[in-house]
Amino acid sequence: MFGAKSFNTDDSRDPRLFERLARKIAASMTRPWTIMEVCGDQTQVLLEYNLFEILPPELTIAHGPGCPVASVPVQIFDRAINIAQDPGVIFCASAELLRIPGSVCDLLEVKACGADVRVVYSALDCINVARSNADKKVVFFNVGFETTMQNDALAVWQARRLGIANFFLLSYHAQIPTVCSKILSNQENVVNALLGPGQVASLTGFDEYEQLAQKQNVPVVITGFEPVDILEGIQKCVSMLEAGKVGVENQYKRGASRAGNPEARALINEVFEPCDRDWRGIGTVTNGGYRLKKAFENHDALKVFAPIICHPSEETGCISHLIWRGLARPTDCPAFGKSCKPDSPLGATMVSAEGTCAAYYKHRKETL
Ligand code: SF4
C-alpha cells in the first residue's frame, strides 16, 4: 500500500465516487485488458490519488508517450548545447529543458560556463529579447506536442511579419497519434485501448485519433485530468473493449470536441508541416513530428546553424523508451531512486515534471 491521500469532497475528487466507478469497471470486465494513458498529467493523477489501488487486478494501466522530452533523441540536446555555446547567441528555453542531459553535459552547465542561456516561458517572450538585442541571434528551444506549438507558431509568424530576422526556433514537436500508432503496431505491443490526451485533442480535434483507432483496431477515449475523468475514461474503454467496439469516444466533453480549435489549427498549419521524426527507442516515425514550412525557414535554427557531429551513444542503461511504450515501469529500472533521482537524472523521464519516472519518484519513493 502507498501513503494515504486526503481528498477534497467535491464531486470530481470524492473517493466514494472513485470506488463506485472502480466497482463498475470490475463488474464489466470478463477478461484482462491493458489500457494506456497517453498523457503525463494523467499518469500524475493516477499516482497522486492512488487509483491503481482501487482498480481491478485484471486491468493493467500502461504509461504512454505523454512526456515529450523523453522521446527526443539525445542528439537534439547536443545540437541545442552546441548552439548555446555560440558567443553570438542568446539561448532561451524552459527551466526543465536546461536540465535534460546531452551526451556530455546539459544546458545548465553551459550556462554556468558563461554562455548566455536564459529561462523563458514562451517563444513570444523571445520576440522581445530579439528586438532588444539586434546584434545577437536569439534562439528559442522547445519540444512538445500540438498544445505547445501554438505559441511557437505565433512567434515565428510574428517574427516574419515584423521583420525580426534575429529570432530562431529550435523545435522538436511530436505528433502524438502517429507515435501511438507506431507503438500499437509493434509486435511487442500489449496495449488494447488508449486514454487519449484531452488537452491535446481540445486543440487538434478527433480526426487523427479516429484514423488511429481504425488503423490499429482499438478504442480511444479522449479523457480529462481529474481522477473521476480518468476512471470514467477507463470505464468507457473497458465497455468498448467488451463490446468489440473500435473508434473514438469523448469523456472530456467540457474541454474537447471533434472539431478542436480551428483557429489554432489553422495557425499551426500555416507555419508547420508534418515530417518524419526520430524517437528514442523506436527509431524514425513517419510523420511523427513537425518542421517549419519553407516560407519560415529563415527562422529555423536547424537550418541556420551549421550541423554538428553528434555523439551516437545513448548508453546510460535508461529504459525510458520501454516505459513510454507500456513495456516496463520505472520500478523495473535498476537505477530508479538509486543512481537516478530528480536531482541526478539519467534519463529525461526523471527530469521532466510530466515524466513517468519523476511521477513515480514523487509519489512512491517511500516504498524504495
Ligand atoms: S529511473 Fe532514470 S534511468 Fe531508469 S528509466 Fe527512469 S529516467 Fe531512465
Side-chain angles (χ1 to χ4, degrees), residues 181-258:
S181 190
K182 177 119 181 178
I183 289 171
L184 293 175
S185 63
N186 190 292
Q187 56 183 11
E188 295 171 289
N189 176 53
V190 293
V191 175
N192 306 116
L194 296 173
L195 295 183
Q199 197 179 13
V200 177
S202 67
L203 189 148
T204 61
F206 299 172
D207 286 355
E208 287 155 357
Y209 293 93
E210 195 63 63
Q211 287 164 26
L212 161 68
Q214 299 304 332
K215 188 172 173 192
Q216 299 302 334
N217 209 27
V218 293
V220 177
V221 176
I222 304 300
T223 302
F225 306 94
E226 290 291 337
V228 165
D229 290 333
I230 292 171
L231 290 168
E232 285 180 357
I234 291 171
Q235 188 194 1
K236 279 181 183 288
C237 278
V238 168
S239 99
M240 289 174 80
L241 285 165
E242 291 285 341
K245 275 175 79 177
V246 165
V248 177
E249 289 196 3
N250 186 12
Q251 181 281 327
Y252 189 48
K253 291 198 168 106
R254 68 183 185 280
S257 67
R258 285 198 176 262

Side-chain angles (χ1 to χ4, degrees), residues 288-299:
Y290 297 89
R291 66 183 168 211
L292 287 174
K293 282 185 169 172
K294 195 164 177 50
F296 297 91
E297 68 181 6
N298 289 348
H299 297 283

Side-chain angles (χ1 to χ4, degrees), residues 103-152:
S103 299
V104 176
C105 63
D106 60 34
L107 284 159
L108 266 186
E109 290 170 275
V110 173
K111 179 178 172 63
C113 289
D116 193 346
V117 176
R118 304 184 187 184
V119 173
V120 297
Y121 293 105
S122 111
L124 291 165
D125 298 336
C126 294
I127 295 290
N128 287 334
V129 177
R131 279 177 137 168
S132 317
N133 296 274
D135 57 331
K136 296 275 191 179
K137 292 176 178 167
V138 176
V139 178
F140 179 68
F141 179 36
N142 198 13
V143 303
F145 303 135
E146 287 88 343
T147 37
T148 57
M149 289 173 68
Q150 205 177 335
N151 278 345
D152 292 0

